[in-house]
Structure formats: structure tokens, C-alpha cells
Amino acid sequence: MTTILYSHSTGATFPKMLRLFALPVATLLLVIIDRFWGGMNSTHVNMLAAVAIVLAGIPHGTLDVEIAAAHFGQKGITGKIRIIGGYLFCAAFMVFLWILLPELALISFLIISIVHFSRDWRGGVDPFLAMMVGWALVALPALASPDDVAMIFAALTGSNNGAVIAALLGAASVPAALGSLVFAYWAFRHDDKQSALEVLACLVAAFFLPPLVAFAIFFCGLHSPRHMADALRETGDLSPLKKAAIICAVFALSLGLGVVMFLYQGDVPADMGIIRTAFILISTLTVPHFILEHILSDKNPA
């Protein structure tokens, strides 16, 4: 069975103990540093986290066209042009949605993120519990750091409606957090200690660390590496040189789009402009990536 969904075989070349404890240990160290020395919620750290999210997030979707071409039997030039056209249409639609209806764009991105992130833990578990994990990863920071999330959402929407969305998201985070704890317990009882520790580490980060830092821990340390490894396996028939060329080309084009977004976003302070650009760029790239994942998961059910 071929799928871009993550199965815990990713990272098999690393020592088992490293894969098991790397994320929890890193999370606890950051929490300790933040509690005793502070500084995790500084402007520079937030900008660094936003840049890290972009740099880690772009690569894991760079091979999507090759994956789609293989699955749909469209390996020729014409077929790939069609796929690229569909990708560009989805991305352009998201950009225009941010311009015309930013509140709807934000809500859509949050919902897509919840579903997309939940797929990281769907191997052998009830999809509802996996959805609770994705929901908690997105919503819990709005409960733990409401002012910070409200500020980010207000910058994304350009209005106070962003703060309202943040408040509603925070209120909806409690059942998701409880469901995530149930998932962690279920995983531990079924000898999947890796999933249990991953979820607990992400919950701790979301609750005790600034929102951008917490999201960067999950996105850069867990989600993106998993999907990047999946993409490399999916395109195993391509030569390493061709893979590298495609990844570099798509990465460069995506960064270029981000630079354009940053330069033409209006009168926004540079620090918040970087954060705003990072999230809008990631959302723009996520929509076609999510659609492909959804199509392939339906075609090859886990």
C-alpha cells in the first residue's frame, strides 16, 4: 500500500531512544529555560520561530507534484502541467481569500490544520481521538496564551475579528485537550510509547510555551520531518539529484512568493509582518498539499 500518511517507520535509521525522547526532552528544556530565564516570548524569538516554521514547512510539500503524477498516472509533461495548474489554482484561491475575506481564510486554515495534523496519529487509532490531538495542537495555545494568539489573529485578519476567533478557539480547546490525554493513555496501553510521549510533549509545549514557539516545536520537530520522509519514500524511483533539484526549485519559488507577500502587505510592523507572512504563506501552500493528501488517503485507506 502506498500512501503519504505517516507510519512510525519514519526515522528508522535513528537510534530508538533518540526518536523516543528527543522531542519530550527538547520541550522540557525550553519550558525550563522559559520559566527560569524567560525571553521565549520576545520579538526576536517569535520572528525566529516564524522563519523556522517556513523553512521547515516548505520542503515537505515540494515533491507533491511528482507524488500526484505517479498516483494518477500522469508522469508525462502534459499531465504534470495539469497537476501544477491545479496546485497554482488552489494556492491562488487561498491568497485571494486572505485578501478579500481574511476571517474566512483564517477559519478555513485552522480547520484544515486540525484535520491535516490529526493524520500524523491515525495509524491504528480511532480517527476521532486522532482528530482531538490535531484540534488540541491548534486550539490549546489560544487558551494558554489568549493575548498572544489574539494579537497574531488580529494581525492576520487586519481587524478585531481575529481576537474573537482566538477567544472562540480557546474556549473550544478544553475537550480537545482531554481527548488528547485519552489518546496518549490509549497509545501507552497499546505499547505505542512514542505516540504517547509525542502527544504529551506537544500538549506541554502548547500550554506552557508561547504559541509560535510551541507550534514550531511540533511543526519543525515532528510534522514536517515525517512528511518529508514520506515524500522521499514516495518518490523512490527518482534519482537523488532530480529530487534535490525539484526540492530546491520549489523551495526557492515558495520563498520568493513569501518575499512578495512580505513586501506588499501594507503598513505592518516588520516583526508582525514576518509572522503574518509566514502563516499566510504556509496556509497558501498547505491547501493544495492537504487536498492531495485527502485524495490519496481516500484512494488508499489506512
Side-chain angles (χ1 to χ4, degrees), residues 97-119:
L97 196 61
W98 278 109
I99 295 172
L100 300 175
L101 297 168
E103 290 85 1
L104 180 58
L106 175 58
I107 292 171
S108 300
F109 179 47
L110 293 173
I111 293 173
I112 287 173
S113 297
I114 289 171
V115 178
H116 184 52
F117 296 156
S118 73
R119 294 184 182 278

Side-chain angles (χ1 to χ4, degrees), residues 169-301:
L169 188 65
S173 67
V174 175
L178 293 176
S180 299
L181 292 176
V182 173
F183 171 88
Y185 175 76
W186 178 93
F188 186 81
R189 288 295 301 269
H190 288 78
D191 295 322
D192 188 0
K193 296 181 178 63
Q194 183 177 347
S195 291
L197 288 174
E198 287 170 354
V199 169
L200 291 175
C202 289
L203 292 178
V204 168
F207 197 79
F208 290 105
L209 289 172
L212 286 175
V213 176
F215 184 66
I217 288 174
F218 162 69
F219 198 71
C220 302
L222 210 60
H223 179 78
S224 293
R226 285 178 171 178
H227 284 259
M228 188 71 233
D230 289 336
L232 292 173
R233 281 199 306 272
E234 289 284 320
T235 53
D237 58 332
L238 295 179
S239 68
L241 183 60
K242 187 173 182 178
K243 285 184 190 179
I246 294 171
I247 291 171
C248 290
V250 177
F251 187 82
L253 289 171
S254 300
L255 280 184
L257 175 61
V259 170
V260 172
M261 288 180 175
F262 178 76
L263 293 176
Y264 291 94
Q265 62 182 329
D267 188 18
V268 179
D271 56 340
M272 190 53 69
I274 290 175
I275 295 171
R276 184 173 184 270
T277 300
F279 274 90
I280 293 178
L281 177 61
I282 289 297
S283 72
T284 300
L285 300 175
T286 294
V287 170
H289 177 72
F290 170 80
I291 292 173
L292 174 63
E293 181 186 69
H294 181 72
I295 292 173
L296 296 184
S297 64
D298 282 348
K299 190 175 180 181
N300 299 284

Side-chain angles (χ1 to χ4, degrees), residues 31-114:
V31 170
I32 291 171
I33 291 172
D34 187 46
R35 286 291 175 264
F36 286 93
W37 289 279
M40 283 292 171
N41 204 23
S42 68
T43 300
H44 291 94
V45 172
N46 282 326
M47 286 194 297
L48 182 63
V51 171
I53 289 166
V54 170
L55 295 180
I58 291 175
H60 79 269
T62 52
L63 295 170
D64 279 358
V65 171
E66 295 296 328
I67 294 172
H71 276 274
F72 301 133
Q74 300 289 327
K75 291 187 176 183
I77 297 297
T78 303
K80 289 184 179 180
I81 289 175
R82 291 197 194 101
I83 294 170
I84 292 172
Y87 247 66
L88 292 177
F89 174 81
C90 292
F93 177 83
M94 196 64 187
V95 171
F96 282 112
L97 196 61
W98 278 109
I99 295 172
L100 300 175
L101 297 168
E103 290 85 1
L104 180 58
L106 175 58
I107 292 171
S108 300
F109 179 47
L110 293 173
I111 293 173
I112 287 173
S113 297
I114 289 171

